[in-house]
Amino acid sequence: MPGDLTMHQNIYYFREQEQTALFEHLSGFLAPGGTLLVTTAVRTGQLSSATLDLWGAMSEGTSRLPALQSWASPAPKWSWA
């Protein structure tokens, strides 16, 4: 049954060039007017985010953490017909 979805701390398990297709696929599981909430760590220069970012950069099939500026307000808007 369609509803709302949450992706919590896992967007970096998908390559950046695959993320739009992933969001489009997940939109099929949303109820009309439903919400996809994506939470993620971002690159901040802190040791914890730098370590996770390094893991993403060095692991096949993953991506680096998003830059803080790319996810800051205004948040990216996604829309599907």
Side-chain angles (χ1 to χ4, degrees), residues 4 9 40 51 69 79:
D4 296 330
Q9 297 293 0
T40 186
T51 302
Q69 299 85 333
S79 177

Side-chain angles (χ1 to χ4, degrees), residues 9 12-13 40-41 47-57 63-65:
Q9 297 293 0
Y12 38 80
Y13 285 103
T40 186
L47 181 58
S48 58
S49 69
T51 302
L52 187 54
D53 183 51
L54 178 62
W55 167 85
S63 65
R64 298 183 63 184
L65 293 180

Side-chain angles (χ1 to χ4, degrees), residues 26-80:
L26 293 176
S27 72
F29 297 98
L30 296 174
T35 300
L36 171 62
L37 172 66
V38 179
T39 65
T40 186
V42 294
R43 284 181 269 166
T44 63
Q46 298 287 329
L47 181 58
S48 58
S49 69
T51 302
L52 187 54
D53 183 51
L54 178 62
W55 167 85
M58 296 180 65
S59 299
E60 185 175 340
T62 63
S63 65
R64 298 183 63 184
L65 293 180
L68 177 60
Q69 299 85 333
S70 69
W71 286 69
S73 185
K77 300 288 185 199
W78 298 90
S79 177
W80 296 277

